[in-house]
Amino acid sequence: MSDQHVYRADLRIDVDAIRHNVGVLAGRARASGAATMVVVKSDGYGHGAPEVARAALSAGAERLGVAAVEEALQLREAGITAPVLCWLFAESDEFVPAIRADVELSASSQATLARIVDAAAKLGRTATVHLKADTGLSRSGCPAELWPALVEAAAKAEAEGWIRVEAVWSHLACADELGHPSIDQQAERFARAYEQARAAGLDPIRHLANSAATLTRPDLHFDLVRPGIAVYGLDPVPQAGDHGLVPAMTFRSSVALTKRVEAGESVSYGHTWTAGQPTNLALVPVGYADGVPRSLSGRMQVWLAGKRRPVVGRVCMDQLVVDTGQDAVAEGSEVVLFGPGDLGEPTAAEWAEQLGTIHYEIVTGMYRPRVTRTVVGAR
Ligand SMILES: *Cc1c(COP(=O)(O)O)cnc(C)c1O
């Protein structure tokens, strides 16, 4: 885990781990005859979208998925030519640049479909569209009562040459809760939406599964799976057993200053911690502005000089203090705040549990103005 360079605040992104995880997921998909769309929204869940995309495509993924048009265009600007689907739009989004860049677009409503058709007509090109059904998440997607009209309108636009309907798709609400009754209910509604699309004369592929369903519901793989979080090595369904995923992000810093304090000396703002005996302190130059939650003050540990050691006192904006007890650690020593966990260091999942959130929120929030990203692994 250590290399020579001393980091202030760095996210090490292990593309070999990404490739390994994609191998696991694409292998599962292939076993049921499905292809894999790796989701790289929100800058690859904070890992760096172009790097993740390239690693994923080299490891057996066929497609990429993002939320925002800007994210899709960023992949094209990085020279990535694989199919990219984009699914969440604002009124201000322009579809002309997206279609020009061969970005596939999702439509959840006739209004969005009309905007896509307009943009395609303006360009004189055929747009590739994925029609999204709301099967019970009640977020994006077309409600069942509006679906027949949407697929009719799509069939008409397809006949006119402005769009090609590539897929019918939907998203699951509770796939990470094994056996949750909504999963089968959504699958039934999805089957009905697909039948209605066929009846309207469309011949689309189908996709429904996120990471959790990719790992636990092969019957819902259909033609394509859409894993996100598992690609990054974070398991959304650890209760279903060890899937052999490897976390790709390690957050590390290094010791900026060490000092010895006497018993009775207190540490950091508010003096919330007081040394019970003479001890050694190590100052680490990362704080809540760098993604270390202040609410973990007094209840987090870091990996430093071969073991876990407690962070004492408040986490500040720019720095935190570690109690190294009777060990005098060297300035410049590597500090791992979280990583894959194989040495015994904390993990993003552990942070999430302590904070009462999910590991998704941890990794997507880590890349900040003072934080660097270092990509490691074979190219
Ligand atoms: C984020 C997202 C995914 C991936 O979900 P994970 O739980 O990270 O696997 C798949 N599909 C859609 C529509 C999404 O928004």
Short mmCIF file of all heavy atoms in Angstrom, two decimals, residues 25 37-41 45 65-67 85 87-88 132 137 139-140 169-172 175-176 207-214 225-232 234 236 359-360, ligand 1:
data_model
loop_
_atom_site.label_atom_id
_atom_site.label_comp_id
_atom_site.label_asym_id
_atom_site.label_seq_id
_atom_site.Cartn_x
_atom_site.Cartn_y
_atom_site.Cartn_z
N LEU A 25 -18.93 -9.10 -12.88
CA LEU A 25 -20.31 -8.71 -13.24
C LEU A 25 -20.64 -9.12 -14.68
O LEU A 25 -21.72 -9.68 -14.93
CB LEU A 25 -20.47 -7.20 -13.05
CG LEU A 25 -20.31 -6.75 -11.60
CD1 LEU A 25 -19.96 -5.27 -11.53
CD2 LEU A 25 -21.58 -7.05 -10.80
N MET A 37 -23.79 -2.86 -19.32
CA MET A 37 -23.63 -1.41 -19.39
C MET A 37 -23.08 -0.97 -18.04
O MET A 37 -23.76 -1.11 -17.02
CB MET A 37 -24.99 -0.74 -19.64
CG MET A 37 -24.97 0.78 -19.52
SD MET A 37 -26.62 1.53 -19.59
CE MET A 37 -27.04 1.27 -21.30
N VAL A 38 -21.87 -0.45 -18.02
CA VAL A 38 -21.30 0.01 -16.75
C VAL A 38 -21.71 1.46 -16.52
O VAL A 38 -21.57 2.31 -17.40
CB VAL A 38 -19.76 -0.17 -16.76
CG1 VAL A 38 -19.10 0.69 -15.69
CG2 VAL A 38 -19.43 -1.65 -16.54
N VAL A 39 -22.26 1.71 -15.33
CA VAL A 39 -22.76 3.04 -15.01
C VAL A 39 -21.61 3.89 -14.45
O VAL A 39 -20.99 3.52 -13.44
CB VAL A 39 -23.94 2.95 -14.02
CG1 VAL A 39 -24.44 4.36 -13.66
CG2 VAL A 39 -25.08 2.13 -14.63
N VAL A 40 -21.33 5.00 -15.14
CA VAL A 40 -20.22 5.88 -14.75
C VAL A 40 -20.70 7.29 -14.44
O VAL A 40 -19.96 8.27 -14.59
CB VAL A 40 -19.09 5.89 -15.81
CG1 VAL A 40 -18.46 4.51 -15.93
CG2 VAL A 40 -19.59 6.35 -17.18
N LYS A 41 -21.98 7.40 -14.01
CA LYS A 41 -22.53 8.71 -13.65
C LYS A 41 -21.75 9.30 -12.47
O LYS A 41 -21.04 8.56 -11.76
CB LYS A 41 -24.01 8.58 -13.31
CG LYS A 41 -24.29 7.69 -12.10
CD LYS A 41 -25.77 7.38 -11.94
CE LYS A 41 -26.02 6.50 -10.72
NZ LYS A 41 -27.41 6.00 -10.68
N TYR A 45 -18.85 7.54 -10.09
CA TYR A 45 -19.03 7.42 -8.64
C TYR A 45 -17.82 8.00 -7.88
O TYR A 45 -17.38 7.49 -6.85
CB TYR A 45 -19.27 5.97 -8.22
CG TYR A 45 -20.61 5.36 -8.63
CD1 TYR A 45 -21.13 5.54 -9.89
CD2 TYR A 45 -21.33 4.57 -7.73
CE1 TYR A 45 -22.35 4.98 -10.26
CE2 TYR A 45 -22.56 4.00 -8.10
CZ TYR A 45 -23.05 4.21 -9.37
OH TYR A 45 -24.25 3.65 -9.74
N GLY A 65 -23.34 3.95 -19.13
CA GLY A 65 -24.55 4.68 -18.78
C GLY A 65 -24.20 5.86 -17.87
O GLY A 65 -23.34 5.75 -17.00
N VAL A 66 -24.86 6.99 -18.11
CA VAL A 66 -24.69 8.19 -17.28
C VAL A 66 -26.04 8.85 -17.08
O VAL A 66 -27.00 8.58 -17.80
CB VAL A 66 -23.72 9.22 -17.93
CG1 VAL A 66 -22.30 8.70 -18.00
CG2 VAL A 66 -24.21 9.63 -19.32
N ALA A 67 -26.11 9.75 -16.10
CA ALA A 67 -27.35 10.48 -15.86
C ALA A 67 -27.45 11.70 -16.78
O ALA A 67 -28.45 11.91 -17.44
CB ALA A 67 -27.43 10.90 -14.39
N LEU A 85 -25.56 5.59 -22.93
CA LEU A 85 -26.95 5.96 -22.68
C LEU A 85 -26.99 7.04 -21.60
O LEU A 85 -26.28 6.95 -20.59
CB LEU A 85 -27.76 4.75 -22.21
CG LEU A 85 -29.19 5.05 -21.72
CD1 LEU A 85 -30.07 5.61 -22.83
CD2 LEU A 85 -29.83 3.80 -21.11
N TRP A 87 -29.80 9.40 -19.23
CA TRP A 87 -31.21 9.20 -18.88
C TRP A 87 -31.89 10.26 -18.03
O TRP A 87 -33.07 10.11 -17.71
CB TRP A 87 -31.40 7.85 -18.21
CG TRP A 87 -30.55 7.59 -17.00
CD1 TRP A 87 -30.64 8.22 -15.80
CD2 TRP A 87 -29.53 6.60 -16.87
NE1 TRP A 87 -29.72 7.68 -14.93
CE2 TRP A 87 -29.02 6.68 -15.57
CE3 TRP A 87 -28.97 5.64 -17.75
CZ2 TRP A 87 -28.01 5.85 -15.10
CZ3 TRP A 87 -27.96 4.81 -17.29
CH2 TRP A 87 -27.49 4.93 -15.99
N LEU A 88 -31.22 11.30 -17.65
CA LEU A 88 -31.92 12.26 -16.78
C LEU A 88 -31.67 13.68 -17.26
O LEU A 88 -30.53 14.14 -17.22
CB LEU A 88 -31.46 12.08 -15.34
CG LEU A 88 -32.27 12.84 -14.29
CD1 LEU A 88 -33.73 12.41 -14.30
CD2 LEU A 88 -31.68 12.63 -12.91
N LYS A 132 -38.29 4.48 -21.19
CA LYS A 132 -38.22 4.06 -19.79
C LYS A 132 -39.61 3.99 -19.16
O LYS A 132 -40.36 4.98 -19.13
CB LYS A 132 -37.36 5.04 -18.98
CG LYS A 132 -37.13 4.54 -17.55
CD LYS A 132 -36.13 5.38 -16.80
CE LYS A 132 -35.76 4.71 -15.49
NZ LYS A 132 -34.94 5.59 -14.64
N LEU A 137 -40.92 2.49 -9.08
CA LEU A 137 -39.99 3.33 -8.32
C LEU A 137 -40.59 4.73 -8.12
O LEU A 137 -40.21 5.45 -7.18
CB LEU A 137 -38.65 3.39 -9.08
CG LEU A 137 -37.49 4.17 -8.47
CD1 LEU A 137 -37.12 3.67 -7.08
CD2 LEU A 137 -36.27 4.09 -9.38
N ARG A 139 -40.12 7.40 -9.79
CA ARG A 139 -39.13 8.45 -9.94
C ARG A 139 -39.17 8.84 -11.41
O ARG A 139 -40.21 9.33 -11.85
CB ARG A 139 -37.77 7.89 -9.49
CG ARG A 139 -36.92 8.84 -8.73
CD ARG A 139 -35.68 8.19 -8.18
NE ARG A 139 -34.86 7.50 -9.20
CZ ARG A 139 -33.68 6.92 -8.97
NH1 ARG A 139 -33.17 6.93 -7.76
NH2 ARG A 139 -33.01 6.34 -9.94
N SER A 140 -38.14 8.59 -12.22
CA SER A 140 -38.34 8.83 -13.64
C SER A 140 -38.99 7.58 -14.25
O SER A 140 -39.25 6.59 -13.56
CB SER A 140 -37.05 9.24 -14.34
OG SER A 140 -36.16 8.19 -14.34
N TRP A 169 -36.84 -0.07 -20.90
CA TRP A 169 -36.09 -0.29 -19.66
C TRP A 169 -36.79 0.28 -18.46
O TRP A 169 -37.77 1.02 -18.59
CB TRP A 169 -34.67 0.27 -19.81
CG TRP A 169 -34.52 1.77 -19.80
CD1 TRP A 169 -35.06 2.66 -20.67
CD2 TRP A 169 -33.74 2.53 -18.87
NE1 TRP A 169 -34.67 3.94 -20.35
CE2 TRP A 169 -33.87 3.89 -19.25
CE3 TRP A 169 -32.96 2.20 -17.76
CZ2 TRP A 169 -33.23 4.92 -18.54
CZ3 TRP A 169 -32.33 3.23 -17.08
CH2 TRP A 169 -32.46 4.56 -17.45
N SER A 170 -36.30 -0.11 -17.28
CA SER A 170 -36.86 0.39 -16.03
C SER A 170 -35.81 0.22 -14.93
O SER A 170 -34.71 -0.28 -15.18
CB SER A 170 -38.15 -0.38 -15.70
OG SER A 170 -38.82 0.24 -14.62
N HIS A 171 -36.15 0.67 -13.74
CA HIS A 171 -35.17 0.65 -12.63
C HIS A 171 -35.87 0.13 -11.38
O HIS A 171 -37.03 0.46 -11.13
CB HIS A 171 -34.65 2.07 -12.42
CG HIS A 171 -33.43 2.19 -11.56
ND1 HIS A 171 -32.36 1.33 -11.63
CD2 HIS A 171 -33.09 3.11 -10.61
CE1 HIS A 171 -31.42 1.72 -10.75
NE2 HIS A 171 -31.85 2.78 -10.12
N LEU A 172 -35.14 -0.67 -10.59
CA LEU A 172 -35.74 -1.33 -9.42
C LEU A 172 -35.60 -0.48 -8.16
O LEU A 172 -34.60 0.20 -7.96
CB LEU A 172 -35.06 -2.68 -9.20
CG LEU A 172 -35.28 -3.72 -10.32
CD1 LEU A 172 -34.32 -4.90 -10.16
CD2 LEU A 172 -36.73 -4.19 -10.34
N ALA A 175 -33.94 -3.70 -4.99
CA ALA A 175 -33.19 -4.90 -5.40
C ALA A 175 -32.17 -5.32 -4.35
O ALA A 175 -31.74 -6.48 -4.33
CB ALA A 175 -32.50 -4.65 -6.73
N ASP A 176 -31.77 -4.40 -3.48
CA ASP A 176 -30.78 -4.74 -2.45
C ASP A 176 -31.43 -5.40 -1.23
O ASP A 176 -30.72 -5.77 -0.29
CB ASP A 176 -29.98 -3.50 -2.04
CG ASP A 176 -30.87 -2.36 -1.55
OD1 ASP A 176 -32.09 -2.39 -1.82
OD2 ASP A 176 -30.35 -1.45 -0.89
N HIS A 207 -33.70 -3.88 -20.48
CA HIS A 207 -32.75 -3.86 -19.37
C HIS A 207 -33.39 -3.30 -18.10
O HIS A 207 -34.16 -2.35 -18.15
CB HIS A 207 -31.44 -3.15 -19.72
CG HIS A 207 -31.52 -1.78 -20.31
ND1 HIS A 207 -31.34 -0.64 -19.54
CD2 HIS A 207 -31.72 -1.34 -21.58
CE1 HIS A 207 -31.40 0.43 -20.35
NE2 HIS A 207 -31.65 0.04 -21.58
N LEU A 208 -33.04 -3.93 -16.99
CA LEU A 208 -33.69 -3.63 -15.71
C LEU A 208 -32.72 -3.68 -14.51
O LEU A 208 -32.89 -2.94 -13.56
CB LEU A 208 -34.82 -4.66 -15.48
CG LEU A 208 -35.62 -4.58 -14.18
CD1 LEU A 208 -36.41 -3.27 -14.13
CD2 LEU A 208 -36.58 -5.77 -14.07
N ALA A 209 -31.71 -4.56 -14.58
CA ALA A 209 -30.93 -4.90 -13.38
C ALA A 209 -29.84 -3.90 -13.04
O ALA A 209 -28.97 -3.61 -13.86
CB ALA A 209 -30.31 -6.29 -13.56
N ASN A 210 -29.85 -3.39 -11.81
CA ASN A 210 -28.71 -2.64 -11.25
C ASN A 210 -27.70 -3.65 -10.67
O ASN A 210 -27.83 -4.86 -10.90
CB ASN A 210 -29.22 -1.65 -10.19
CG ASN A 210 -30.01 -2.35 -9.08
OD1 ASN A 210 -30.11 -3.58 -9.05
ND2 ASN A 210 -30.59 -1.57 -8.19
N SER A 211 -26.74 -3.16 -9.88
CA SER A 211 -25.73 -4.09 -9.33
C SER A 211 -26.37 -5.20 -8.51
O SER A 211 -26.00 -6.38 -8.66
CB SER A 211 -24.76 -3.35 -8.41
OG SER A 211 -23.99 -2.42 -9.12
N ALA A 212 -27.30 -4.82 -7.63
CA ALA A 212 -27.87 -5.82 -6.72
C ALA A 212 -28.58 -6.92 -7.51
O ALA A 212 -28.42 -8.11 -7.22
CB ALA A 212 -28.84 -5.14 -5.75
N ALA A 213 -29.35 -6.52 -8.53
CA ALA A 213 -30.06 -7.53 -9.33
C ALA A 213 -29.09 -8.30 -10.23
O ALA A 213 -29.31 -9.48 -10.51
CB ALA A 213 -31.16 -6.87 -10.16
N THR A 214 -28.03 -7.65 -10.67
CA THR A 214 -27.02 -8.37 -11.46
C THR A 214 -26.43 -9.50 -10.62
O THR A 214 -26.19 -10.60 -11.12
CB THR A 214 -25.90 -7.40 -11.91
OG1 THR A 214 -26.48 -6.35 -12.69
CG2 THR A 214 -24.84 -8.12 -12.74
N VAL A 225 -27.39 -5.72 -18.43
CA VAL A 225 -27.46 -5.33 -17.02
C VAL A 225 -26.75 -3.97 -16.87
O VAL A 225 -25.93 -3.60 -17.71
CB VAL A 225 -26.81 -6.39 -16.09
CG1 VAL A 225 -27.57 -7.72 -16.19
CG2 VAL A 225 -25.33 -6.59 -16.42
N ARG A 226 -27.11 -3.25 -15.80
CA ARG A 226 -26.58 -1.89 -15.60
C ARG A 226 -25.94 -1.74 -14.23
O ARG A 226 -26.41 -0.96 -13.39
CB ARG A 226 -27.70 -0.84 -15.72
CG ARG A 226 -28.41 -0.72 -17.02
CD ARG A 226 -29.31 0.52 -17.03
NE ARG A 226 -30.12 0.65 -15.82
CZ ARG A 226 -31.32 0.11 -15.62
NH1 ARG A 226 -31.88 -0.62 -16.56
NH2 ARG A 226 -31.95 0.28 -14.48
N PRO A 227 -24.86 -2.44 -13.95
CA PRO A 227 -24.25 -2.28 -12.62
C PRO A 227 -23.51 -0.96 -12.49
O PRO A 227 -22.87 -0.49 -13.43
CB PRO A 227 -23.28 -3.46 -12.55
CG PRO A 227 -22.89 -3.70 -13.97
CD PRO A 227 -24.14 -3.40 -14.79
N GLY A 228 -23.60 -0.37 -11.30
CA GLY A 228 -22.80 0.81 -10.97
C GLY A 228 -21.90 0.48 -9.79
O GLY A 228 -20.74 0.12 -9.94
N ILE A 229 -22.46 0.56 -8.60
CA ILE A 229 -21.66 0.50 -7.37
C ILE A 229 -20.73 -0.72 -7.32
O ILE A 229 -19.59 -0.61 -6.84
CB ILE A 229 -22.59 0.56 -6.12
CG1 ILE A 229 -21.80 0.90 -4.88
CG2 ILE A 229 -23.39 -0.73 -5.94
CD1 ILE A 229 -21.29 2.31 -4.81
N ALA A 230 -21.19 -1.86 -7.79
CA ALA A 230 -20.36 -3.08 -7.70
C ALA A 230 -19.11 -2.98 -8.58
O ALA A 230 -18.09 -3.61 -8.30
CB ALA A 230 -21.19 -4.31 -8.07
N VAL A 231 -19.20 -2.18 -9.64
CA VAL A 231 -18.04 -1.96 -10.51
C VAL A 231 -16.88 -1.37 -9.71
O VAL A 231 -15.70 -1.65 -9.96
CB VAL A 231 -18.43 -1.01 -11.66
CG1 VAL A 231 -17.21 -0.49 -12.42
CG2 VAL A 231 -19.43 -1.69 -12.59
N TYR A 232 -17.25 -0.56 -8.70
CA TYR A 232 -16.26 0.14 -7.89
C TYR A 232 -15.82 -0.70 -6.69
O TYR A 232 -15.05 -0.25 -5.85
CB TYR A 232 -16.83 1.50 -7.47
CG TYR A 232 -17.30 2.25 -8.70
CD1 TYR A 232 -18.63 2.20 -9.12
CD2 TYR A 232 -16.38 2.91 -9.51
CE1 TYR A 232 -19.04 2.82 -10.30
CE2 TYR A 232 -16.78 3.53 -10.69
CZ TYR A 232 -18.11 3.48 -11.08
OH TYR A 232 -18.50 4.07 -12.25
N LEU A 234 -17.81 -2.01 -4.32
CA LEU A 234 -18.63 -1.89 -3.12
C LEU A 234 -19.88 -2.74 -3.32
O LEU A 234 -20.58 -2.61 -4.32
CB LEU A 234 -18.99 -0.42 -2.87
CG LEU A 234 -17.74 0.46 -2.71
CD1 LEU A 234 -18.13 1.93 -2.59
CD2 LEU A 234 -16.93 0.03 -1.49
N PRO A 236 -23.55 -4.04 -2.86
CA PRO A 236 -24.84 -3.56 -2.36
C PRO A 236 -25.63 -4.66 -1.65
O PRO A 236 -26.64 -4.36 -1.01
CB PRO A 236 -25.57 -3.12 -3.63
CG PRO A 236 -25.02 -4.04 -4.69
CD PRO A 236 -23.58 -4.32 -4.29
N HIS A 359 -22.47 3.27 1.29
CA HIS A 359 -21.12 3.53 0.77
C HIS A 359 -21.14 4.33 -0.54
O HIS A 359 -20.19 5.03 -0.86
CB HIS A 359 -20.29 2.25 0.64
CG HIS A 359 -20.99 1.07 0.06
ND1 HIS A 359 -21.87 1.17 -1.00
CD2 HIS A 359 -20.96 -0.25 0.40
CE1 HIS A 359 -22.31 -0.05 -1.30
NE2 HIS A 359 -21.79 -0.93 -0.45
N TYR A 360 -22.27 4.27 -1.27
CA TYR A 360 -22.40 5.09 -2.48
C TYR A 360 -22.11 6.57 -2.13
O TYR A 360 -21.42 7.27 -2.88
CB TYR A 360 -23.84 5.07 -3.00
CG TYR A 360 -24.44 3.81 -3.53
CD1 TYR A 360 -24.74 2.74 -2.70
CD2 TYR A 360 -24.80 3.71 -4.87
CE1 TYR A 360 -25.39 1.61 -3.18
CE2 TYR A 360 -25.45 2.58 -5.37
CZ TYR A 360 -25.73 1.54 -4.52
OH TYR A 360 -26.37 0.43 -5.00
C1 LIG B 1 -27.31 4.55 -10.69
C2 LIG B 1 -28.12 3.71 -11.59
C3 LIG B 1 -27.77 2.37 -11.86
C4 LIG B 1 -26.67 1.66 -11.10
O1 LIG B 1 -27.13 1.37 -9.81
P1 LIG B 1 -26.16 0.62 -8.74
O2 LIG B 1 -27.05 0.39 -7.58
O3 LIG B 1 -25.06 1.57 -8.45
O4 LIG B 1 -25.71 -0.61 -9.41
C5 LIG B 1 -28.49 1.68 -12.80
N1 LIG B 1 -29.51 2.26 -13.46
C6 LIG B 1 -29.90 3.53 -13.21
C7 LIG B 1 -31.05 4.10 -13.93
C8 LIG B 1 -29.23 4.29 -12.28
O5 LIG B 1 -29.62 5.55 -12.03
#
